[in-house]
Structures are given as C-alpha cells and as structure tokens.
Amino acid sequence: MAKSFRRGRLSTRLATAPPQRGAARPSTPSAKNSRLRSGCFARFVDSLIRPFVDSLIRPFVDSLIRPFVDSLIRPFVDSLIRRFVDSLIRRFAQFTNLPISQSATIALLLTLPALLPLVAPGYFFNAHDGHHSVFWLVEFDQTIRDGVLWPIWAPDHVLGFGYPLWLVYAPLAYIVAELFHLIGWGFVAAVKLTWALGFLVGAAGMYRLARRWWGPAAGLIASLAYTYAPYHLVDIYVRAALAEFTALAVFPWALLALVALWDDPRPRRAAWASLALGALLLSHSVALVTFVPLLGGFLLLQLTSSWLGRRATDDDRPRSLVVGRRSSVVGLRSTVWTGIALLLGGLLAAIFLLPFLLERRYIVEASWLSGTYDFRLHFVYLSQFFSSFWGFGYSVEGPGDGMSFQLGLLQVIGAVVGVVGAFAKRNTQYAIRNTHHASRNTQHATRITHHASRITHHASRITQSPISNLQYLVPFLVAATLFCLFAMTSAAQPIWEALPLVGSIQFPWRLLGLTTVTLALLCGAAVHWLEDDPTRAGVEPSGEPTSAGTSTPKRGSAPSPYVYVAALAFVLASFAYTRPELVPIRPQDESPLAVIEFETEHPDMRGMTLWAERVPVDADSPLLAQYLAGQPVTKAAVATGQGSILEQDHTATSAHVRVRAETEVRLRFYTYYFPGWQATVDGRPVEIAADPPNGLIGLTLPSGEHDVRLRFGPTPVRRVAAGLSLLALGGILVLWFVGRRPVQIAFQA
C-alpha cells in the first residue's frame, strides 16, 4: 500500500507501476466524453462564474466586510488586549513599586511560569546532575566554613578521599548559592534560588540586549524565545546543569556590556564589561571553548561593521568636510577600551583559569572524556533538531536518546522570519538610500549652510555601532547557528578530533546553548522588521539617514498587541516542558552522605588523580562504612609499624593527629595526594608522598609521640593566579570610581 495525501486527509491506494515512456494510453469512448465534459465545465467557470464572483462578491467584501473588520473588529481586539495588558502592568507596578517599562514588565511576568516548579515542594533529584547540584554546594560550604576563600578541594568525594573539584569546575553558581545559604536558606532552597536568579538574570540580559539594538518589542520576544527555548529548559529540568545554566544567563550581559562599551568607550563601561566577561569565564569550565568564541565573533563583527559604517559615512559626506581622520580616532578608541576590558576580564578569571589550564594534568581526565563521555557517542541526528520528543533520559549512542535536542518550532519560525525581514529591509534601504542620494545632490548648496548641524549628525553616526543593522547582524547569527548545528552532527567529527581542547565539551549537543542565544536574537530581529514602518527604513522623519541604517523604535513606545500574542505563544509552546520530575527531599540529601550514596550507586563517577593506579573500589576505603553508619570519620591510620592514634580530628581541608609510635611507622591519611597538601610534624615541615595503589597521602614517623598536622594550601600557580585576579579587581575598581564621560571630539572643516 502506498500513502498519499489529498485534501488534508490520509488515504491509501494500491501502488501501480507508472506507464512506461512511449506506451500508448488506453482510450475509450467514456474516457473521451469525460474529458470533453470536464473541459466544457472549466470553460463555463472561466467565462461566467469567475467574472461574476470577481465583479460582485469581491467588491462586496472590499466595501463592506473589510472596512467592518478594520473599523470595528481589529480596533476592538487591539483595545481589549491593550486594556488587559495595561491593567496587568498597573497592578504589578503597584505591587512591586518598580519603575520598569511596559514591555519589560510583560517579559518579567511571562518568565515567571518557567520557574514555578522551583516553588513547589521537592526537588528534581532524578535529573542527570540533580544530586550534584545540591551536594556540591554541601562540599563548597564545608570548605568556606573552614576559612578557605577560594575552594579547590571537595572533602567527601571518591569514598571520602577528597577530590580537587573546584580546580576543574567553575564555581560562580556555587558562590551565589553559598551566599543564599549563609543568610539562612537550606541547601536545596539555596540552589533553587540560584536557579530562579539564573532565569531572571538571563531573561533580563536578553531583553536589554535586543532592546538596545531593535527596541522594546524585539526585547520582549527575544527574552521569551530565550527563556522558553527547549534546550534552556532541558538544562534545568532534565540535566540540572547549574554551571551551564549560569553561563547561559551571564552571556547576554557580557555581550551587552561589550557592545555598550564599543558604542560609548569610557572607563565605567569598561569596568562593567570586565566584570561581565570575568563572570562568564567563572561560570562554566567549557565557556572558554563555547561562549568565548561566539563572543569573539560578535566583537569581530562589531569591528568590521563599524569600519564599513565609517566608510559609508565618509563616502556620504561633502568633500569639504575632512572628518575621516577623526572617525578613525573614535574607532581606535573603542578598540583600545574593548581590549582593556577583555584583558581585565581575563585576569579577573585567572584565579580559576590558570590552575585549570596548568594543574589539570594532575588529574586523570581520561575518566571524564572516555566511555560514556566520549564525544563520538553523542552526535545529534538532523531529525532530532526538529523532533517534538521530550524525555528525562540520557544521551546515548545512536538516535535512541532519552532527552530532547529540539531547537523549538516557534524559535525556528521566528528565525526564518528574521532572515526574510533582514533581506527585505536591506532592499528597502537601498531603494530609499538611492532616492536620498539623488535629493542630496540637488540640495548640496543649501546643506553647506547647515555646517554645524551636519557635523553633529555625522559625529553621532560615528559613535554608534552599526551592529544593530540587520544587514550585518542577521547573516552573522545565521552563520553561527548553522555552524553550531553542523558541529553537533557526525559530519564534524574530524574537526573534533583535530582540536583536542574541543573534546573537553564532552557532548556536542552542548552547542545548543549557543543556538539558544542566536535563535532568540533572530526572533527579536523578526519582530523589529514586522513592527518597523518600511517607509521609514533607514531614514529619519526629516529625510536624514538613521545612525545605524535602521529605524529602531523608540524605547518608550508600546509594542503592538500582536507582539503580546506572540509572546504568549512562546510561553504556551514550551509550558509542558516546565514540569520536572519532583521527588521529596530527605535529610541525607543535604549532607555529605549524599556524595557517598551517589558514588556507591555509580562507581564509574569516582575520580582519580595522577598518582592513583586504578579507580578506587569500596574495599579500598574504610571510611565508607563510617559514612553509611553515621559515625565520625577517621581519616588517619597507621599503615605499617607498631603504633597507635591517640587523637585525631579533621575539617574539609585540614587534619590533626597525635601519634604514639613504638617503632618507625608509616602514617597514612585516607586523602588523595595532590599539589597543595602540606604536613608538619611537631611544628616542622616534612615531605609527604603518594602511597600506592590509590595515591593516598603517606609520611614516615620515627618512634615516639608526635603531633602531625595536614593542611591544603595554595601552590605557586594558585598564588600567582590569585594575585593577578586581585590586581584586575583593583584595576576595575579604579575604572569605576575615577571614570568620567569623555570630552566630546570637536570636528573642524
């Protein structure tokens, strides 16, 4: 049976072989009469019925129905939507007393449904990293309370041996969660507040970015397209990837800060850009190979579009105005201040980046980059980008993944409309610009008399970035989206294998985070084109070109009611994806025991250092039974020789032991050996070594009674990194407090 679609219904018919070329078709009298009747009927319709419909019914529709719709129905719908929105915003403003705009208020209100599960009882512990997102905060808190300002060591990992978790895992999200915990919230509640803050910060950043370029309507749609992008919701409710979710929230602010700095280079904006870039680098370990290249692409686009904009400006000026040199000065100034911000932002994150790059060789990374973490097993099939499948399972080899990799239907439609609008707007701009050039040639003498006003106009064109022009930005966003989609498929495997650092991403589908940003911005561009008046594309009401070649709506103008309908559609399209699998919270979920339970259930998740010969098994750690029984953990023991432990206590990053040795003994701490651990015996520093097979800390003691202290401290690399970050923070504070608005450049004829 072969399937065919006819008039919207699925029908089946017997599959018959098509007639061969040159074969004679059967001809019967009934067939000939049927063709004759159908031809006569068609001529009758074309000659009588269709002209009658065109002459009678169409004028009736144009004269009565369409004016009725335009004069009554459409204004009624518009006013109804506007009254509802105005009433909602007025009530919200009275409740919060926040001076925010109408479109920003709607964006905030429509973002709230996405985080409603966070106020429900329970937590999504069954998500991929659901347990990690909580017990890592428990580990972080222990280290902070031990007096360590920048944690490195997670004391309860690997069956109690400890692990340098924060050496390879960016800590920004847990710094925020720890602040919530220190003011009184529980561990799960603090993590939930961090998730909610990530939702709001990311939505606000995307709104501000799109609004800066294209107005409030574009900001509203871009914000909601970003918030309700399927992968954005996968990140929290399916994967519980707190660090990646935080990076997605910070990235729009980093891009916004750099764009604002380029448009108006001054010290305070450079300070903001440095802080935003530093936060991005501290938010996720793989941000250096995912978000930073995209940010670099935007900066390159900024530089290129600004140079092209200055060339267009210089070509449009009368030859008597010599301002090209000054425009180059302004562009150089933006470049210098952007370079300063990038340098300070990178140095601010040096406290994490330098140890991450230079000391990660002391851990066995193969355990996190092979097996189930091998990128070759996690390429995405093209159909999965457009599949509506949703699940809470894991990524597996082949197309049978238990989680969704969809881009989002409305996000794709909005992006396509944005691309079409960019090209349509470009053609309109060219037509209007040609007309404008012709009129300028006839009015050249008159305009020379308005020399001062022309100088002001061109100066504003130089200082504002033309990146907001759809002509430049949309092709870049499309290219970035297509490249990310290509890089997530198996066709890009040679690229992944040729660049070893890229393999640290682990899962190619993580690049969906980048498409979440690019598609959201394309949706904003689509609204900008649809909301914009095409007769004003590229010109001011006075007939002068706009500063960026576009007619960006004013920030105070209210979006069309249909923009609110589109915004609500984004919410409804993904609302079903905001329902995680919530489970009750047990007391042990907020204790170090949660780490032990997880590693007992998943032994492949136990990390190794360079000095460990194999992955630890349960029998290697006598601490395991103590954890499970709820007993105090004793992390020191006499491995060889005759002696006894008189007293011992430990914290997250230190241990104190009193030993009585009858002979020479080998004291062993059930703690991984790693650079930074230092020991003293009776107040004198001693050498420590890694005892096989697990690479645990060991030291030799002579006979007698000894006081042994162990402490995890900084290495030379970490000291230098901390110094560079403090230096960068000082520079940022100097820029913030002494920054003043630059003196306006005066142009001379």
Side-chain angles (χ1 to χ4, degrees), residues 257-290:
L258 289 172
V259 169
L261 174 62
W262 186 278
D263 292 348
D264 186 10
R266 48 194 172 101
R268 183 161 289 191
R269 294 199 175 213
W272 270 117
S274 302
L275 288 173
L277 179 61
L280 178 64
L281 294 173
L282 292 173
S283 61
H284 197 209
S285 302
V286 300
L288 199 62
V289 291
T290 54

Side-chain angles (χ1 to χ4, degrees), residues 11 27 37 39 46 51 68 71 133 182 211-212 273 312 332 375 384 428 480 500 557 563 567 667 673 743 749:
S11 62
S27 178
R37 287 194 299 269
D46 291 338
F68 174 75
S71 61
S133 59
L182 292 177
R211 188 194 69 170
R212 179 180 183 86
L332 178 61
F375 65 84
Q384 292 179 302
T428 306
S557 60
V563 173
L667 182 65
Y673 174 85
V743 179

Side-chain angles (χ1 to χ4, degrees), residues 614-643:
R614 55 179 171 80
V615 177
V617 296
D618 293 354
D620 292 333
S621 175
L623 310 180
L624 182 59
Q626 300 172 15
Y627 274 109
L628 296 177
Q631 301 174 352
V633 177
T634 57
K635 287 201 170 186
V638 176
T640 59
Q642 297 181 1

